[in-house]
Amino acid sequence: MMIIKELVCQNVIARFLIYLHDMSMQTWISILTNLFPVISALTCCLLMILTYKDSVREEERYLKRGLFFFYFSVAFGWACVIIYTWSPRLFVYLNSLCYCSFIMMSVTFYHVVFWLTRVDSSEHFSMRHYYLPVLIPVILLVWSLFVPLDVQVAIVAVDSPLEDVYFYFTRFFTSQLMVAFLFCLCYTLLGLKRLFRYWRVMRERLGDMKEPPLRWLGCVLLLFLFSLCMPLLDPLFAESYWLDFLPIGILLLQYSIVAYNIIVGNYVLCSCVEESSGDRQEIKKTPLLNKERFEKYIREEKPYLNPELKITDLTGELQTNRTYLSTFINRTYGMNFNTYINDCRLREMKAFLADSTCAGVSMTDLAIRAGFGCYHSYRRAKKRNITNF
């Protein structure tokens, strides 16, 4: 029995090696080229999973869930492209899912763009955007049930109608690239429209805004438009198979930019809080972070009195994220978060020392009250002479 299994295994391996040997250089390059987006998208999926638990706000978790589905559809779509080159028969079984993934990419990414560019909580993403990405593949799947499998395999292999009776099916069966192109163009333009609107609202709310937020998102959307123009350069790519890496490299750059900026929190979400007033509900807009609002919160709440204070402890109260808050403190006060908090504690310590009611309290107790945790921390902060207000 073991001998039979070994012979079967050897036979399968031998056939596989023969198949690989018969593959042309063009096929090899095509498979390797299309493998990079699969690996990159799967890596980004893993990053979304690993950083999901570190999200402070529900909005951040929502974004990472949306990006996970985006990257997953990207990985599956490009994997189907590899299968299309490697095994036409297997691709026939996956064509409906491949169709769905290619057009779902644009919708899921626009969903993320929509959430990033919301200006208040009254805006809700319409799930009707997902109707066509589901309906079109379902129609293809049902239609495929009435077409012989060998005909579908032949269509994939030669990419041309075999008989007049299958002409329209062939065009529909192989139309995913054109439909994906149209979806990507429409939703990229919609994303740019929302981004420009978001910048206009932010400029109105923050008159002293030096740099518009989400500039990286604008770069990504413009790269999408540039990628859509790549087919116009087909004559150039025909001269060398290796030039196919250029559009793939652009895609990898886009995926990396989006994943990095979402993970580090390089965005500002404008959220609102619903308040009940008698029989009616009022929507109270949460103002964007500015110096007046930030200092009022620090002055009234005194979070620095907590010796275990972390920057993430303030993000929920201030309705912002870690990266934006850190950047805000650096640009506004010329120091990092820890230095700013210690400066506030030194101010509190100075007020204690000037208060006659604290005359009999030891320096250690006063330092602990001021939020330093211990007297040594107070001495270290005072030695650095960081008070510069």
Side-chain angles (χ1 to χ4, degrees):
M1 190 66 180
M2 291 297 296
I3 296 176
I4 295 176
K5 289 183 178 180
E6 290 178 2
L7 291 175
V8 172
C9 183
Q10 291 175 2
N11 186 32
V12 172
I13 294 175
R15 289 184 178 182
F16 181 71
L17 292 176
I18 293 173
Y19 175 78
L20 293 179
H21 182 268
D22 293 338
M23 291 173 61
S24 64
M25 178 59 69
Q26 179 183 1
T27 304
W28 271 108
I29 294 176
S30 177
I31 292 177
L32 291 175
T33 302
N34 296 323
L35 190 60
F36 283 104
V38 177
I39 297 175
S40 175
L42 290 177
T43 302
C44 292
C45 279
L46 183 61
L47 289 174
M48 293 301 111
I49 295 174
L50 294 177
T51 59
Y52 184 82
K53 63 179 181 180
D54 297 329
S55 303
V56 178
R57 302 169 58 190
E58 177 58 30
E59 289 88 344
E60 297 177 40
R61 291 189 284 270
Y62 188 90
L63 285 173
K64 290 180 180 179
R65 289 197 298 268
L67 276 180
F68 173 83
F69 288 112
F70 166 71
Y71 286 124
F72 183 81
S73 62
V74 168
F76 186 83
W78 284 100
C80 288
V81 173
I82 297 176
I83 295 173
Y84 175 87
T85 305
W86 175 56
S87 176
R89 180 172 290 272
L90 179 57
F91 178 80
V92 168
Y93 294 104
L94 299 175
N95 192 29
S96 297
L97 293 176
C98 177
Y99 210 130
C100 180
S101 64
F102 265 108
I103 57 181
M104 192 68 76
M105 297 177 194
S106 302
V107 181
T108 52
F109 188 74
Y110 176 71
H111 196 161
V112 172
V113 173
F114 184 94
W115 192 259
L116 284 170
T117 55
R118 287 201 322 163
V119 293
D120 58 60
S121 62
S122 63
E123 294 184 288
H124 296 285
F125 186 80
S126 175
M127 299 308 292
R128 289 177 294 182
H129 290 280
Y130 289 103
Y131 289 172
L132 277 179
V134 174
L135 180 62
I136 295 176
V138 169
I139 294 175
L140 176 61
L141 178 62
V142 174
W143 198 350
S144 299
L145 298 178
F146 299 94
V147 178
L149 178 62
D150 293 338
V151 172
Q152 298 182 50
V153 174
I155 292 173
V156 174
V158 300
D159 195 20
S160 62
L162 302 177
E163 303 175 18
D164 291 341
V165 68
Y166 299 120
F167 178 81
Y168 294 106
F169 175 78
T170 302
R171 287 293 164 260
F172 189 35
F173 192 84
T174 58
S175 63
Q176 54 260 59
L177 291 181
M178 178 56 67
V179 174
F181 173 87
L182 295 176
F183 266 76
C184 186
L185 177 61
C186 293
Y187 279 103
T188 300
L189 294 177
L190 286 175
L192 285 171
K193 180 181 178 181
R194 284 196 59 86
L195 183 60
F196 291 145
R197 172 177 171 268
Y198 175 80
W199 283 343
R200 186 179 68 253
V201 172
M202 293 288 284
R203 194 174 293 109
E204 292 174 356
R205 295 184 180 180
L206 292 177
D208 59 344
M209 183 177 63
K210 297 180 181 179
E211 298 179 355
L214 297 180
R215 289 185 301 167
W216 59 269
L217 182 58
C219 294
V220 170
L221 292 172
L222 291 177
L223 284 175
F224 272 120
L225 288 180
F226 180 74
S227 300
L228 294 177
C229 299
M230 297 301 291
L232 300 177
L233 304 177
D234 273 346
L236 177 63
F237 295 152
E239 298 176 2
S240 173
Y241 299 130
W242 297 103
L243 286 177
D244 290 341
F245 280 105
L246 179 59
I248 297 299
I250 294 175
L251 289 177
L252 299 184
L253 179 63
Q254 291 171 272
Y255 302 157
S256 302
I257 291 175
V258 174
Y260 170 78
N261 283 279
I262 293 299
I263 289 174
V264 302
N266 189 16
Y267 52 87
V268 181
L269 296 176
C270 301
S271 57
C272 300
V273 179
E274 292 186 358
E275 290 188 346
S276 297
S277 178
D279 297 332
R280 58 192 181 96
Q281 274 194 337
E282 296 181 352
I283 296 179
K284 179 182 178 182
K285 292 186 177 181
T286 301
L288 294 176
L289 186 63
N290 53 42
K291 185 176 181 181
E292 180 181 358
R293 178 180 169 228
F294 177 72
E295 291 185 354
K296 180 181 179 182
Y297 170 76
I298 294 295
R299 183 172 59 254
E300 294 179 354
E301 302 297 329
K302 296 187 177 182
Y304 53 83
L305 297 181
N306 176 16
E308 304 295 329
L309 181 69
K310 300 184 293 293
I311 190 171
T312 52
D313 296 333
L314 305 184
T315 55
E317 294 291 337
L318 297 173
Q319 292 294 307
T320 184
N321 58 67
R322 182 185 184 279
T323 301
Y324 184 77
L325 179 57
S326 177
T327 303
F328 169 81
I329 294 175
N330 272 277
R331 291 179 178 176
T332 306
Y333 304 105
M335 61 183 72
N336 60 32
F337 172 76
N338 290 330
T339 304
Y340 175 83
I341 292 301
N342 278 335
D343 192 278
C344 293
R345 289 165 178 166
L346 283 174
R347 285 170 171 264
E348 193 74 15
M349 188 69 175
K350 184 177 180 180
F352 285 154
L353 293 175
D355 190 353
S356 58
T357 59
C358 298
V361 183
S362 66
M363 294 292 292
T364 300
D365 291 338
L366 291 178
I368 294 175
R369 289 185 187 180
F372 283 106
C374 64
Y375 183 71
H376 178 69
S377 298
Y378 162 68
R379 289 293 302 272
R380 185 169 61 247
K382 186 179 180 181
K383 185 178 181 181
R384 291 176 180 174
N385 192 25
I386 61 175
T387 304
N388 55 4
F389 280 74

mmCIF file of all heavy atoms in Angstrom, residues 355-381:
data_model
loop_
_atom_site.group_PDB
_atom_site.id
_atom_site.type_symbol
_atom_site.label_atom_id
_atom_site.label_comp_id
_atom_site.label_asym_id
_atom_site.label_seq_id
_atom_site.Cartn_x
_atom_site.Cartn_y
_atom_site.Cartn_z
ATOM 1 N N ASP A 355 0.947 77.708 48.138
ATOM 2 C CA ASP A 355 -0.273 77.620 48.951
ATOM 3 C C ASP A 355 0.114 77.422 50.414
ATOM 4 O O ASP A 355 0.814 76.474 50.765
ATOM 5 C CB ASP A 355 -1.131 76.458 48.464
ATOM 6 C CG ASP A 355 -2.503 76.466 49.113
ATOM 7 O OD1 ASP A 355 -2.739 77.289 50.020
ATOM 8 O OD2 ASP A 355 -3.349 75.635 48.711
ATOM 9 N N SER A 356 -0.348 78.321 51.270
ATOM 10 C CA SER A 356 0.013 78.259 52.697
ATOM 11 C C SER A 356 -0.564 77.020 53.377
ATOM 12 O O SER A 356 -0.013 76.535 54.369
ATOM 13 C CB SER A 356 -0.470 79.519 53.411
ATOM 14 O OG SER A 356 -1.885 79.662 53.268
ATOM 15 N N THR A 357 -1.652 76.494 52.838
ATOM 16 C CA THR A 357 -2.261 75.312 53.471
ATOM 17 C C THR A 357 -1.422 74.060 53.258
ATOM 18 O O THR A 357 -1.652 73.048 53.921
ATOM 19 C CB THR A 357 -3.667 75.077 52.886
ATOM 20 O OG1 THR A 357 -3.572 74.876 51.470
ATOM 21 C CG2 THR A 357 -4.568 76.266 53.167
ATOM 22 N N CYS A 358 -0.463 74.112 52.358
ATOM 23 C CA CYS A 358 0.399 72.945 52.091
ATOM 24 C C CYS A 358 1.755 73.079 52.782
ATOM 25 O O CYS A 358 2.697 72.337 52.459
ATOM 26 C CB CYS A 358 0.619 72.780 50.586
ATOM 27 S SG CYS A 358 -0.898 72.465 49.648
ATOM 28 N N ALA A 359 1.865 74.033 53.710
ATOM 29 C CA ALA A 359 3.166 74.287 54.340
ATOM 30 C C ALA A 359 3.670 73.077 55.112
ATOM 31 O O ALA A 359 4.866 72.815 55.152
ATOM 32 C CB ALA A 359 3.058 75.507 55.253
ATOM 33 N N GLY A 360 2.793 72.312 55.722
ATOM 34 C CA GLY A 360 3.247 71.192 56.532
ATOM 35 C C GLY A 360 3.328 69.875 55.787
ATOM 36 O O GLY A 360 3.637 68.836 56.387
ATOM 37 N N VAL A 361 3.083 69.890 54.500
ATOM 38 C CA VAL A 361 3.095 68.662 53.699
ATOM 39 C C VAL A 361 4.487 68.440 53.138
ATOM 40 O O VAL A 361 5.153 69.374 52.675
ATOM 41 C CB VAL A 361 2.062 68.733 52.553
ATOM 42 C CG1 VAL A 361 2.039 67.421 51.770
ATOM 43 C CG2 VAL A 361 0.678 69.065 53.108
ATOM 44 N N SER A 362 4.938 67.208 53.163
ATOM 45 C CA SER A 362 6.279 66.902 52.669
ATOM 46 C C SER A 362 6.349 67.061 51.152
ATOM 47 O O SER A 362 5.343 67.001 50.441
ATOM 48 C CB SER A 362 6.667 65.472 53.046
ATOM 49 O OG SER A 362 5.841 64.537 52.365
ATOM 50 N N MET A 363 7.583 67.265 50.663
ATOM 51 C CA MET A 363 7.802 67.425 49.230
ATOM 52 C C MET A 363 7.397 66.170 48.462
ATOM 53 O O MET A 363 6.894 66.252 47.332
ATOM 54 C CB MET A 363 9.260 67.768 48.968
ATOM 55 C CG MET A 363 9.677 69.130 49.507
ATOM 56 S SD MET A 363 8.869 70.493 48.613
ATOM 57 C CE MET A 363 9.654 70.347 47.027
ATOM 58 N N THR A 364 7.605 65.032 49.066
ATOM 59 C CA THR A 364 7.239 63.771 48.402
ATOM 60 C C THR A 364 5.735 63.689 48.193
ATOM 61 O O THR A 364 5.255 63.337 47.105
ATOM 62 C CB THR A 364 7.719 62.569 49.234
ATOM 63 O OG1 THR A 364 9.142 62.628 49.366
ATOM 64 C CG2 THR A 364 7.321 61.266 48.557
ATOM 65 N N ASP A 365 4.979 64.039 49.234
ATOM 66 C CA ASP A 365 3.517 64.008 49.107
ATOM 67 C C ASP A 365 3.019 65.026 48.091
ATOM 68 O O ASP A 365 2.092 64.756 47.323
ATOM 69 C CB ASP A 365 2.868 64.273 50.472
ATOM 70 C CG ASP A 365 3.085 63.117 51.441
ATOM 71 O OD1 ASP A 365 3.352 61.996 50.952
ATOM 72 O OD2 ASP A 365 2.979 63.334 52.658
ATOM 73 N N LEU A 366 3.642 66.192 48.084
ATOM 74 C CA LEU A 366 3.239 67.202 47.109
ATOM 75 C C LEU A 366 3.540 66.742 45.676
ATOM 76 O O LEU A 366 2.737 66.982 44.763
ATOM 77 C CB LEU A 366 3.953 68.530 47.394
ATOM 78 C CG LEU A 366 3.546 69.270 48.670
ATOM 79 C CD1 LEU A 366 4.376 70.540 48.839
ATOM 80 C CD2 LEU A 366 2.059 69.621 48.639
ATOM 81 N N ALA A 367 4.670 66.108 45.492
ATOM 82 C CA ALA A 367 5.031 65.617 44.156
ATOM 83 C C ALA A 367 4.042 64.558 43.682
ATOM 84 O O ALA A 367 3.653 64.533 42.504
ATOM 85 C CB ALA A 367 6.447 65.057 44.169
ATOM 86 N N ILE A 368 3.622 63.715 44.619
ATOM 87 C CA ILE A 368 2.645 62.681 44.264
ATOM 88 C C ILE A 368 1.303 63.318 43.931
ATOM 89 O O ILE A 368 0.632 62.922 42.975
ATOM 90 C CB ILE A 368 2.510 61.659 45.413
ATOM 91 C CG1 ILE A 368 3.815 60.878 45.575
ATOM 92 C CG2 ILE A 368 1.351 60.718 45.150
ATOM 93 C CD1 ILE A 368 3.828 59.933 46.759
ATOM 94 N N ARG A 369 0.909 64.328 44.710
ATOM 95 C CA ARG A 369 -0.343 65.024 44.425
ATOM 96 C C ARG A 369 -0.310 65.705 43.056
ATOM 97 O O ARG A 369 -1.316 65.790 42.365
ATOM 98 C CB ARG A 369 -0.615 66.077 45.502
ATOM 99 C CG ARG A 369 -0.991 65.528 46.862
ATOM 100 C CD ARG A 369 -1.336 66.683 47.781
ATOM 101 N NE ARG A 369 -1.543 66.250 49.162
ATOM 102 C CZ ARG A 369 -1.852 67.081 50.165
ATOM 103 N NH1 ARG A 369 -2.005 68.386 49.905
ATOM 104 N NH2 ARG A 369 -2.008 66.634 51.383
ATOM 105 N N ALA A 370 0.870 66.207 42.689
ATOM 106 C CA ALA A 370 1.008 66.911 41.405
ATOM 107 C C ALA A 370 1.023 65.960 40.218
ATOM 108 O O ALA A 370 0.994 66.405 39.074
ATOM 109 C CB ALA A 370 2.267 67.762 41.407
ATOM 110 N N GLY A 371 1.082 64.654 40.491
ATOM 111 C CA GLY A 371 1.021 63.681 39.410
ATOM 112 C C GLY A 371 2.352 63.071 39.026
ATOM 113 O O GLY A 371 2.416 62.291 38.058
ATOM 114 N N PHE A 372 3.432 63.381 39.760
ATOM 115 C CA PHE A 372 4.739 62.849 39.394
ATOM 116 C C PHE A 372 4.911 61.384 39.783
ATOM 117 O O PHE A 372 5.730 60.682 39.199
ATOM 118 C CB PHE A 372 5.858 63.683 40.037
ATOM 119 C CG PHE A 372 6.096 64.981 39.329
ATOM 120 C CD1 PHE A 372 5.678 66.175 39.891
ATOM 121 C CD2 PHE A 372 6.718 65.008 38.095
ATOM 122 C CE1 PHE A 372 5.889 67.378 39.247
ATOM 123 C CE2 PHE A 372 6.939 66.201 37.436
ATOM 124 C CZ PHE A 372 6.516 67.390 38.012
ATOM 125 N N GLY A 373 4.179 60.940 40.731
ATOM 126 C CA GLY A 373 4.311 59.553 41.164
ATOM 127 C C GLY A 373 5.321 59.373 42.277
ATOM 128 O O GLY A 373 5.110 58.579 43.192
ATOM 129 N N CYS A 374 6.437 60.113 42.228
ATOM 130 C CA CYS A 374 7.445 60.050 43.274
ATOM 131 C C CYS A 374 8.270 61.335 43.254
ATOM 132 O O CYS A 374 8.265 62.080 42.258
ATOM 133 C CB CYS A 374 8.344 58.822 43.127
ATOM 134 S SG CYS A 374 9.343 58.819 41.630
ATOM 135 N N TYR A 375 8.977 61.584 44.311
ATOM 136 C CA TYR A 375 9.778 62.804 44.419
ATOM 137 C C TYR A 375 10.921 62.817 43.421
ATOM 138 O O TYR A 375 11.299 63.863 42.885
ATOM 139 C CB TYR A 375 10.326 62.942 45.850
ATOM 140 C CG TYR A 375 11.118 64.211 46.073
ATOM 141 C CD1 TYR A 375 10.476 65.449 46.115
ATOM 142 C CD2 TYR A 375 12.499 64.159 46.223
ATOM 143 C CE1 TYR A 375 11.202 66.613 46.315
ATOM 144 C CE2 TYR A 375 13.241 65.327 46.431
ATOM 145 C CZ TYR A 375 12.573 66.539 46.471
ATOM 146 O OH TYR A 375 13.293 67.695 46.652
ATOM 147 N N HIS A 376 11.470 61.657 43.128
ATOM 148 C CA HIS A 376 12.588 61.563 42.181
ATOM 149 C C HIS A 376 12.158 62.039 40.799
ATOM 150 O O HIS A 376 12.927 62.724 40.103
ATOM 151 C CB HIS A 376 13.095 60.121 42.119
ATOM 152 C CG HIS A 376 14.215 59.934 41.140
ATOM 153 N ND1 HIS A 376 15.470 60.457 41.337
ATOM 154 C CD2 HIS A 376 14.246 59.281 39.938
ATOM 155 C CE1 HIS A 376 16.244 60.137 40.306
ATOM 156 N NE2 HIS A 376 15.523 59.422 39.448
ATOM 157 N N SER A 377 10.946 61.698 40.382
ATOM 158 C CA SER A 377 10.447 62.138 39.080
ATOM 159 C C SER A 377 10.313 63.650 39.038
ATOM 160 O O SER A 377 10.611 64.295 38.016
ATOM 161 C CB SER A 377 9.095 61.483 38.782
ATOM 162 O OG SER A 377 9.219 60.080 38.707
ATOM 163 N N TYR A 378 9.891 64.225 40.162
ATOM 164 C CA TYR A 378 9.775 65.689 40.238
ATOM 165 C C TYR A 378 11.144 66.343 40.126
ATOM 166 O O TYR A 378 11.319 67.324 39.372
ATOM 167 C CB TYR A 378 9.097 66.078 41.548
ATOM 168 C CG TYR A 378 9.312 67.514 41.941
ATOM 169 C CD1 TYR A 378 8.751 68.555 41.196
ATOM 170 C CD2 TYR A 378 10.089 67.839 43.058
ATOM 171 C CE1 TYR A 378 8.964 69.881 41.547
ATOM 172 C CE2 TYR A 378 10.308 69.157 43.418
ATOM 173 C CZ TYR A 378 9.742 70.178 42.659
ATOM 174 O OH TYR A 378 9.964 71.483 43.007
ATOM 175 N N ARG A 379 12.133 65.826 40.827
ATOM 176 C CA ARG A 379 13.479 66.394 40.784
ATOM 177 C C ARG A 379 14.057 66.291 39.381
ATOM 178 O O ARG A 379 14.715 67.220 38.899
ATOM 179 C CB ARG A 379 14.378 65.680 41.793
ATOM 180 C CG ARG A 379 14.081 65.979 43.252
ATOM 181 C CD ARG A 379 14.393 67.435 43.578
ATOM 182 N NE ARG A 379 15.776 67.754 43.294
ATOM 183 C CZ ARG A 379 16.780 67.597 44.178
ATOM 184 N NH1 ARG A 379 16.511 67.156 45.404
ATOM 185 N NH2 ARG A 379 18.010 67.930 43.860
ATOM 186 N N ARG A 380 13.801 65.167 38.705
ATOM 187 C CA ARG A 380 14.337 64.983 37.360
ATOM 188 C C ARG A 380 13.709 65.980 36.390
ATOM 189 O O ARG A 380 14.399 66.572 35.558
ATOM 190 C CB ARG A 380 14.091 63.551 36.899
ATOM 191 C CG ARG A 380 14.739 63.239 35.554
ATOM 192 C CD ARG A 380 14.717 61.757 35.241
ATOM 193 N NE ARG A 380 13.345 61.252 35.159
ATOM 194 C CZ ARG A 380 12.825 60.398 36.021
ATOM 195 N NH1 ARG A 380 13.540 59.967 37.049
ATOM 196 N NH2 ARG A 380 11.572 59.980 35.884
ATOM 197 N N ALA A 381 12.394 66.190 36.521
ATOM 198 C CA ALA A 381 11.722 67.144 35.638
ATOM 199 C C ALA A 381 12.182 68.576 35.913
ATOM 200 O O ALA A 381 12.384 69.368 34.984
ATOM 201 C CB ALA A 381 10.215 67.023 35.808
#
